[in-house]
Amino acid sequence: MLSKKTKYGIKALTYLARQEQNVPVSIATISEMENISLKFLESILLTLRKSGLLGSKKGKGGGYYLLKDPKDIKMTTVMRVLEGPIAMIPCVSLNYYEKCEDCPNEAECAVHLLMIRVRDSNLKIYGETSLADLANY
Amino acid sequence: MLSKKTKYGIKALTYLARQEQNVPVSIATISEMENISLKFLESILLTLRKSGLLGSKKGKGGGYYLLKDPKDIKMTTVMRVLEGPIAMIPCVSLNYYEKCEDCPNEAECAVHLLMIRVRDSNLKIYGETSLADLANY
DNA sequence: TATTACCCTACTAAATCTATAGGGTTAAAG
DNA sequence: CTTTAACCCTATAGATTTAGTAGGGTAATA
Protein backbone atom coordinates (compact mmCIF):
# COMPACT_ATOMS: atom_id res chain seq x y z
CA MET A 1 0.00 0.00 0.00
CA LEU A 2 1.03 3.56 -0.71
CA SER A 3 1.29 5.48 2.55
CA LYS A 4 -0.76 8.61 3.12
CA LYS A 5 2.50 10.43 3.61
CA THR A 6 3.58 9.66 0.05
CA LYS A 7 0.16 10.33 -1.34
CA TYR A 8 -0.06 13.74 0.32
CA GLY A 9 3.53 14.54 -0.56
CA ILE A 10 2.94 13.91 -4.25
CA LYS A 11 -0.25 15.95 -4.14
CA ALA A 12 1.57 18.84 -2.52
CA LEU A 13 4.41 18.69 -5.04
CA THR A 14 1.93 18.61 -7.89
CA TYR A 15 0.10 21.57 -6.45
CA LEU A 16 3.35 23.53 -6.35
CA ALA A 17 4.24 22.42 -9.87
CA ARG A 18 0.97 23.88 -11.09
CA GLN A 19 1.70 27.29 -9.56
CA GLU A 20 4.07 29.93 -10.82
CA GLN A 21 7.57 28.84 -10.01
CA ASN A 22 9.50 30.33 -7.11
CA VAL A 23 6.39 31.91 -5.62
CA PRO A 24 6.05 30.49 -2.10
CA VAL A 25 2.79 28.81 -1.17
CA SER A 26 1.87 28.49 2.50
CA ILE A 27 1.27 25.15 4.16
CA ALA A 28 -2.23 26.36 5.06
CA THR A 29 -3.08 26.99 1.41
CA ILE A 30 -1.91 23.57 0.23
CA SER A 31 -3.64 21.95 3.20
CA GLU A 32 -6.98 23.54 2.25
CA MET A 33 -6.74 23.04 -1.48
CA GLU A 34 -5.70 19.39 -1.26
CA ASN A 35 -7.69 18.39 1.84
CA ILE A 36 -4.69 17.41 3.89
CA SER A 37 -4.39 17.68 7.68
CA LEU A 38 -2.31 20.80 8.27
CA LYS A 39 0.05 19.42 10.86
CA PHE A 40 0.65 16.20 8.99
CA LEU A 41 1.34 18.12 5.80
CA GLU A 42 3.74 20.33 7.70
CA SER A 43 5.93 17.36 8.59
CA ILE A 44 5.79 16.03 5.04
CA LEU A 45 6.87 19.33 3.53
CA LEU A 46 9.68 19.50 6.05
CA THR A 47 10.90 16.12 4.82
CA LEU A 48 10.74 17.31 1.22
CA ARG A 49 12.68 20.45 2.07
CA LYS A 50 15.38 18.50 3.89
CA SER A 51 15.71 16.19 0.91
CA GLY A 52 16.45 19.17 -1.32
CA LEU A 53 13.28 19.10 -3.40
CA LEU A 54 11.68 22.15 -1.85
CA GLY A 55 12.85 25.54 -0.68
CA SER A 56 11.06 27.57 1.96
CA LYS A 57 10.68 31.19 2.92
CA LYS A 58 9.73 32.25 6.43
CA GLY A 59 7.58 35.13 7.62
CA LYS A 60 4.67 36.89 6.01
CA GLY A 61 4.19 35.92 2.40
CA GLY A 62 6.39 32.89 2.98
CA GLY A 63 5.80 29.26 2.18
CA TYR A 64 7.25 26.43 0.13
CA TYR A 65 8.35 26.36 -3.50
CA LEU A 66 10.01 23.93 -5.89
CA LEU A 67 13.75 24.22 -6.23
CA LYS A 68 13.84 22.69 -9.70
CA ASP A 69 11.78 22.70 -12.84
CA PRO A 70 9.04 20.04 -12.56
CA LYS A 71 10.41 18.45 -15.74
CA ASP A 72 13.64 17.76 -13.86
CA ILE A 73 12.05 16.12 -10.84
CA LYS A 74 11.84 12.39 -11.44
CA MET A 75 9.39 10.33 -9.47
CA THR A 76 12.23 7.99 -8.53
CA THR A 77 13.58 10.71 -6.27
CA VAL A 78 10.16 11.61 -4.89
CA MET A 79 9.27 8.00 -4.09
CA ARG A 80 12.62 7.34 -2.42
CA VAL A 81 12.26 10.41 -0.21
CA LEU A 82 8.64 9.81 0.77
CA GLU A 83 8.06 6.07 0.56
CA GLY A 84 11.58 4.74 1.04
CA PRO A 85 13.44 2.20 -1.11
CA ILE A 86 11.87 1.27 -4.44
CA ALA A 87 12.68 -2.40 -3.88
CA MET A 88 10.04 -4.42 -2.04
CA ILE A 89 12.68 -6.43 -0.20
CA PRO A 90 16.15 -5.39 0.98
CA CYS A 91 17.98 -8.21 -0.84
CA VAL A 92 17.18 -6.56 -4.19
CA SER A 93 17.64 -2.96 -3.10
CA LEU A 94 20.24 -0.97 -5.00
CA ASN A 95 20.75 1.63 -2.27
CA TYR A 96 19.84 -0.29 0.87
CA TYR A 97 20.96 -3.84 0.18
CA GLU A 98 20.69 -6.33 3.00
CA LYS A 99 20.99 -10.08 2.90
CA CYS A 100 18.02 -12.19 3.99
CA GLU A 101 18.85 -14.16 7.11
CA ASP A 102 16.81 -17.17 6.11
CA CYS A 103 18.06 -17.39 2.54
CA PRO A 104 21.07 -19.64 1.92
CA ASN A 105 21.38 -18.85 -1.77
CA GLU A 106 20.12 -15.69 -3.40
CA ALA A 107 20.71 -17.01 -6.90
CA GLU A 108 18.21 -19.82 -6.33
CA CYS A 109 15.66 -17.74 -4.45
CA ALA A 110 12.36 -17.31 -6.25
CA VAL A 111 11.43 -14.26 -4.21
CA HIS A 112 14.73 -12.63 -5.07
CA LEU A 113 14.28 -13.28 -8.78
CA LEU A 114 10.70 -12.04 -8.86
CA MET A 115 11.45 -8.95 -6.82
CA ILE A 116 14.33 -7.97 -9.11
CA ARG A 117 11.90 -7.97 -12.01
CA VAL A 118 9.39 -5.89 -10.06
CA ARG A 119 12.08 -3.47 -8.94
CA ASP A 120 13.37 -2.93 -12.48
CA SER A 121 9.90 -2.42 -13.83
CA ASN A 122 9.08 0.14 -11.15
CA LEU A 123 12.40 1.92 -11.57
CA LYS A 124 11.58 2.25 -15.24
CA ILE A 125 8.18 3.80 -14.55
CA TYR A 126 9.43 6.18 -11.89
CA GLY A 127 12.42 7.08 -14.03
CA GLU A 128 10.40 8.03 -17.07
CA THR A 129 7.76 9.96 -15.13
CA SER A 130 8.51 13.52 -14.01
CA LEU A 131 6.52 15.81 -11.79
CA ALA A 132 5.69 17.83 -14.89
CA ASP A 133 4.13 14.75 -16.52
CA LEU A 134 1.82 14.37 -13.54
CA ALA A 135 1.02 18.06 -13.15
CA ASN A 136 0.08 18.62 -16.80
CA TYR A 137 -2.75 16.14 -16.90
CA MET B 1 7.57 -3.74 1.65
CA LEU B 2 6.84 -7.32 0.81
CA SER B 3 5.34 -9.05 3.84
CA LYS B 4 6.98 -12.11 5.34
CA LYS B 5 3.75 -13.94 4.66
CA THR B 6 4.10 -13.39 0.93
CA LYS B 7 7.80 -14.12 0.98
CA TYR B 8 7.31 -17.41 2.81
CA GLY B 9 4.31 -18.29 0.69
CA ILE B 10 6.27 -17.88 -2.55
CA LYS B 11 9.14 -19.89 -1.11
CA ALA B 12 6.81 -22.70 -0.12
CA LEU B 13 5.13 -22.73 -3.53
CA THR B 14 8.51 -22.81 -5.23
CA TYR B 15 9.62 -25.66 -3.02
CA LEU B 16 6.54 -27.62 -4.03
CA ALA B 17 7.08 -26.76 -7.69
CA ARG B 18 10.54 -28.27 -7.49
CA GLN B 19 9.22 -31.59 -6.14
CA GLU B 20 7.47 -34.31 -8.04
CA GLN B 21 3.95 -33.19 -8.69
CA ASN B 22 1.01 -34.53 -6.64
CA VAL B 23 3.31 -35.97 -4.00
CA PRO B 24 2.30 -34.33 -0.70
CA VAL B 25 5.00 -32.57 1.30
CA SER B 26 4.46 -32.00 5.00
CA ILE B 27 4.46 -28.55 6.56
CA ALA B 28 7.33 -29.67 8.78
CA THR B 29 9.50 -30.53 5.78
CA ILE B 30 8.92 -27.21 4.04
CA SER B 31 9.43 -25.39 7.33
CA GLU B 32 12.82 -26.99 7.82
CA MET B 33 14.03 -26.73 4.25
CA GLU B 34 13.06 -23.09 3.83
CA ASN B 35 13.74 -21.89 7.38
CA ILE B 36 10.20 -20.80 8.08
CA SER B 37 8.47 -20.81 11.48
CA LEU B 38 6.29 -23.91 11.43
CA LYS B 39 3.13 -22.40 12.85
CA PHE B 40 3.32 -19.30 10.68
CA LEU B 41 3.87 -21.43 7.60
CA GLU B 42 0.89 -23.55 8.59
CA SER B 43 -1.42 -20.54 8.38
CA ILE B 44 0.07 -19.46 5.08
CA LEU B 45 -0.40 -22.87 3.49
CA LEU B 46 -3.96 -22.90 4.77
CA THR B 47 -4.58 -19.63 2.96
CA LEU B 48 -3.08 -21.03 -0.22
CA ARG B 49 -5.25 -24.12 0.00
CA LYS B 50 -8.40 -22.09 0.55
CA SER B 51 -7.53 -19.99 -2.47
CA GLY B 52 -7.42 -23.10 -4.63
CA LEU B 53 -3.70 -23.13 -5.36
CA LEU B 54 -2.86 -26.06 -3.11
CA GLY B 55 -4.44 -29.36 -2.28
CA SER B 56 -3.83 -31.21 0.97
CA LYS B 57 -3.89 -34.72 2.21
CA LYS B 58 -4.41 -35.55 5.86
CA GLY B 59 -2.92 -38.30 7.98
CA LYS B 60 0.36 -40.14 7.77
CA GLY B 61 2.22 -39.42 4.56
CA GLY B 62 0.04 -36.40 4.01
CA GLY B 63 0.94 -32.82 3.26
CA TYR B 64 0.43 -30.15 0.65
CA TYR B 65 0.77 -30.32 -3.12
CA LEU B 66 0.21 -28.06 -6.11
CA LEU B 67 -3.14 -28.42 -7.83
CA LYS B 68 -1.89 -27.12 -11.16
CA ASP B 69 1.20 -27.31 -13.29
CA PRO B 70 3.68 -24.62 -12.16
CA LYS B 71 3.63 -23.24 -15.71
CA ASP B 72 -0.06 -22.47 -15.24
CA ILE B 73 0.30 -20.63 -11.95
CA LYS B 74 0.78 -16.95 -12.65
CA MET B 75 2.31 -14.74 -10.02
CA THR B 76 -0.62 -12.37 -10.39
CA THR B 77 -2.75 -14.97 -8.63
CA VAL B 78 -0.13 -15.74 -6.02
CA MET B 79 0.44 -12.08 -5.16
CA ARG B 80 -3.27 -11.33 -4.93
CA VAL B 81 -3.82 -14.27 -2.56
CA LEU B 82 -0.84 -13.56 -0.32
CA GLU B 83 -0.16 -9.83 -0.52
CA GLY B 84 -3.57 -8.52 -1.50
CA PRO B 85 -4.48 -6.14 -4.34
CA ILE B 86 -1.74 -5.41 -6.89
CA ALA B 87 -2.66 -1.72 -6.91
CA MET B 88 -0.88 0.43 -4.35
CA ILE B 89 -4.00 2.54 -3.79
CA PRO B 90 -7.68 1.52 -3.95
CA CYS B 91 -8.66 4.20 -6.50
CA VAL B 92 -6.66 2.35 -9.18
CA SER B 93 -7.55 -1.19 -8.11
CA LEU B 94 -9.24 -3.34 -10.74
CA ASN B 95 -10.78 -5.75 -8.24
CA TYR B 96 -11.12 -3.62 -5.13
CA TYR B 97 -11.85 -0.14 -6.40
CA GLU B 98 -12.64 2.52 -3.85
CA LYS B 99 -12.85 6.27 -4.31
CA CYS B 100 -10.47 8.45 -2.31
CA GLU B 101 -12.40 10.63 0.12
CA ASP B 102 -10.09 13.58 -0.22
CA CYS B 103 -9.88 13.56 -4.00
CA PRO B 104 -12.44 15.72 -5.83
CA ASN B 105 -11.32 14.70 -9.33
CA GLU B 106 -9.56 11.48 -10.15
CA ALA B 107 -8.78 12.55 -13.69
CA GLU B 108 -6.66 15.42 -12.40
CA CYS B 109 -5.02 13.50 -9.56
CA ALA B 110 -1.29 13.01 -9.94
CA VAL B 111 -1.24 10.11 -7.52
CA HIS B 112 -3.99 8.38 -9.45
CA LEU B 113 -2.15 8.80 -12.75
CA LEU B 114 1.17 7.59 -11.39
CA MET B 115 -0.33 4.63 -9.59
CA ILE B 116 -2.14 3.49 -12.74
CA ARG B 117 1.21 3.31 -14.49
CA VAL B 118 2.76 1.40 -11.60
CA ARG B 119 -0.18 -0.98 -11.43
CA ASP B 120 -0.04 -1.75 -15.15
CA SER B 121 3.67 -2.31 -15.06
CA ASN B 122 3.39 -4.67 -12.11
CA LEU B 123 0.45 -6.52 -13.64
CA LYS B 124 2.59 -7.09 -16.71
CA ILE B 125 5.47 -8.52 -14.68
CA TYR B 126 3.27 -10.77 -12.54
CA GLY B 127 1.30 -11.83 -15.61
CA GLU B 128 4.31 -12.95 -17.58
CA THR B 129 5.98 -14.71 -14.66
CA SER B 130 4.82 -18.18 -13.70
CA LEU B 131 5.78 -20.32 -10.74
CA ALA B 132 7.69 -22.51 -13.18
CA ASP B 133 9.80 -19.52 -14.27
CA LEU B 134 10.82 -18.94 -10.67
CA ALA B 135 11.35 -22.59 -9.78
CA ASN B 136 13.57 -23.39 -12.77
CA TYR B 137 16.26 -20.87 -11.92
C1' DT C 1 7.20 45.24 16.83
C1' DA C 2 3.50 42.53 15.70
C1' DT C 3 2.24 38.94 12.92
C1' DT C 4 2.69 35.41 9.77
C1' DA C 5 4.44 31.18 8.76
C1' DC C 6 8.03 27.87 8.96
C1' DC C 7 10.64 24.69 12.36
C1' DC C 8 11.05 20.96 15.69
C1' DT C 9 10.08 17.51 19.39
C1' DA C 10 7.28 14.51 21.70
C1' DC C 11 3.43 11.78 22.20
C1' DT C 12 -0.51 8.61 21.03
C1' DA C 13 -4.44 5.86 19.08
C1' DA C 14 -5.14 2.54 15.72
C1' DA C 15 -3.85 -0.79 12.56
C1' DT C 16 -0.94 -4.30 10.77
C1' DC C 17 2.52 -7.71 10.99
C1' DT C 18 4.58 -11.73 12.73
C1' DA C 19 4.22 -14.77 14.88
C1' DT C 20 2.88 -18.24 19.29
C1' DA C 21 -0.26 -21.26 21.93
C1' DG C 22 -3.19 -24.80 22.22
C1' DG C 23 -6.01 -27.85 21.04
C1' DG C 24 -9.41 -30.42 17.43
C1' DT C 25 -10.02 -33.49 13.46
C1' DT C 26 -8.95 -36.69 9.85
C1' DA C 27 -6.97 -40.54 7.66
C1' DA C 28 -3.43 -43.80 6.85
C1' DA C 29 -0.45 -47.57 8.74
C1' DG C 30 0.28 -51.45 11.43
C1' DC D 1 -9.08 -50.82 15.71
C1' DT D 2 -5.79 -48.08 17.69
C1' DT D 3 -1.99 -45.26 17.20
C1' DT D 4 0.05 -41.43 15.25
C1' DA D 5 1.31 -38.30 11.75
C1' DA D 6 -0.29 -34.31 9.87
C1' DC D 7 -3.67 -31.04 8.60
C1' DC D 8 -7.33 -27.69 10.60
C1' DC D 9 -8.89 -23.74 13.29
C1' DT D 10 -9.28 -20.00 16.82
C1' DA D 11 -7.46 -16.89 19.89
C1' DT D 12 -4.02 -13.97 21.59
C1' DA D 13 -0.03 -10.95 21.98
C1' DG D 14 4.34 -8.32 21.32
C1' DA D 15 6.53 -5.31 18.00
C1' DT D 16 6.38 -2.12 14.53
C1' DT D 17 4.46 1.25 11.53
C1' DT D 18 1.10 4.61 10.34
C1' DA D 19 -1.27 8.73 10.70
C1' DG D 20 -1.81 11.84 12.88
C1' DT D 21 -2.16 15.59 17.38
C1' DA D 22 -0.25 18.87 20.71
C1' DG D 23 2.44 22.47 21.81
C1' DG D 24 5.51 25.53 21.56
C1' DG D 25 10.03 27.81 19.34
C1' DT D 26 12.16 30.69 15.73
C1' DA D 27 12.83 33.62 11.85
C1' DA D 28 11.61 37.13 8.67
C1' DT D 29 8.65 40.48 6.66
C1' DA D 30 5.45 44.33 6.61
Side-chain angles (χ1 to χ4, degrees):
Chain A
M1 274 285 290
L2 192 76
S3 69
K4 290 261 165 68
K5 181 182 171 187
T6 302
K7 181 183 174 186
Y8 294 160
I10 294 175
K11 285 196 160 203
L13 287 170
T14 311
Y15 186 84
L16 291 175
R18 284 171 182 165
Q19 309 307 307
E20 246 181 292
Q21 216 162 355
N22 299 322
V23 177
V25 180
S26 75
I27 300 175
T29 302
I30 304 176
S31 159
E32 275 177 47
M33 299 303 291
E34 299 291 339
N35 300 307
I36 305 169
S37 147
L38 188 120
K39 280 301 208 173
F40 192 24
L41 178 61
E42 202 176 322
S43 77
I44 296 168
L45 293 175
L46 199 60
T47 304
L48 290 169
R49 185 186 63 80
K50 284 181 180 168
S51 80
L53 283 170
L54 295 182
S56 65
K57 200 180 156 194
K58 289 185 180 176
K60 202 167 188 175
Y64 285 96
Y65 52 92
L66 292 175
L67 284 175
K68 290 195 282 188
D69 191 295
K71 279 197 301 295
D72 299 326
I73 299 178
K74 285 199 299 185
M75 294 315 290
T76 322
T77 311
V78 174
M79 290 300 288
R80 287 211 172 103
V81 168
L82 293 169
E83 191 77 1
I86 306 293
M88 289 182 79
I89 194 167
C91 74
V92 301
S93 174
L94 297 175
N95 299 296
Y96 299 92
Y97 174 83
E98 233 173 281
K99 194 182 175 306
C100 292
E101 284 178 28
D102 54 301
C103 193
N105 185 353
E106 259 176 27
E108 292 183 14
C109 178
V111 178
H112 188 79
L113 178 53
L114 179 64
M115 288 302 121
I116 281 181
R117 294 184 190 179
V118 172
R119 181 204 63 193
D120 288 343
S121 130
N122 284 337
L123 276 178
K124 182 163 184 297
I125 295 293
Y126 294 136
E128 59 193 31
T129 305
S130 72
L131 192 58
D133 294 328
L134 299 180
N136 309 326
Y137 52 88
Chain B
M1 275 287 289
L2 193 76
S3 69
K4 290 257 164 68
K5 181 181 171 186
T6 303
K7 180 183 176 186
Y8 295 160
I10 293 174
K11 285 196 159 202
L13 287 170
T14 310
Y15 186 85
L16 291 174
R18 284 172 181 164
Q19 310 306 307
E20 246 181 294
Q21 215 162 357
N22 299 324
V23 177
V25 180
S26 75
I27 300 175
T29 302
I30 303 176
S31 159
E32 274 175 48
M33 298 302 291
E34 299 290 339
N35 300 307
I36 305 169
S37 146
L38 188 119
K39 281 299 207 173
F40 192 24
L41 178 62
E42 203 176 323
S43 76
I44 295 167
L45 293 174
L46 198 60
T47 304
L48 289 169
R49 185 186 61 81
K50 284 181 179 168
S51 79
L53 284 169
L54 295 182
S56 66
K57 202 181 157 192
K58 289 184 180 177
K60 204 167 188 173
Y64 285 95
Y65 52 90
L66 292 175
L67 284 175
K68 290 193 282 187
D69 190 295
K71 279 196 300 296
D72 299 324
I73 300 178
K74 285 198 298 183
M75 294 315 290
T76 322
T77 311
V78 174
M79 290 299 288
R80 286 211 173 101
V81 168
L82 293 169
E83 190 76 2
I86 306 293
M88 290 182 79
I89 194 167
C91 74
V92 301
S93 174
L94 297 175
N95 298 296
Y96 298 95
Y97 174 84
E98 232 173 280
K99 193 183 174 310
C100 292
E101 285 178 28
D102 56 302
C103 193
N105 186 353
E106 259 176 26
E108 293 183 14
C109 179
V111 178
H112 188 78
L113 178 54
L114 179 64
M115 289 302 121
I116 282 181
R117 295 185 189 178
V118 172
R119 180 204 65 195
D120 288 343
S121 132
N122 284 337
L123 276 177
K124 183 162 183 299
I125 296 293
Y126 294 136
E128 58 192 34
T129 306
S130 73
L131 192 58
D133 294 328
L134 299 180
N136 308 327
Y137 52 88

